[in-house]
Amino acid sequence: MSPSQRASVARTGPATQKLRPGHGPVYVTDLQVVVASVQGRTALLQVTGPGEAFRIVKGEPGTSVRLTRHTLTVVEVTGARPADHVTVTVRPG
C-alpha cells in the first residue's frame, strides 16, 4: 500500500461511531468529529471535514443536522460518568 493510500484509509471511518469526550478527533465517514461535552442527554460536537466548514452541533438523540455535503444524526447520548459517550451516524447528502 502506498503512503497516499494509507493516508486516505486513515482519513475515513465507519458511518456510525461511538465517541467519548476528550478522545478524538474520530473519523465518521470522512468527517472529523470531537465530543466537546456531554450534559445529560445533550451533546456538543465539533465537526469538520472535506467540503464542510467547521461547525458546532448541539443535539439530543434523534437530532439530525444537514451540513453542506453530509447529514449528521445523533443516535445516542449517555451522560453518566465515567461511561459518557455519544453515538453518531453520518450519511452523504
Side-chain angles (χ1 to χ4, degrees), residues 23-80:
H23 296 91
V26 173
Y27 284 91
V28 185
T29 66
D30 58 349
L31 292 182
Q32 291 182 42
V33 181
V34 174
V35 178
S37 68
V38 175
Q39 295 199 0
R41 293 180 46 82
T42 303
L44 193 62
L45 308 172
Q46 298 171 347
V47 182
T48 191
E52 303 288 356
F54 177 82
R55 296 266 313 254
I56 304 266
V57 174
K58 182 176 183 179
E60 297 178 340
T63 301
S64 285
V65 178
R66 285 195 54 120
L67 306 170
T68 304
R69 296 176 51 202
H70 303 81
T71 299
L72 182 139
T73 302
V74 178
V75 176
E76 177 184 29
V77 178
T78 302

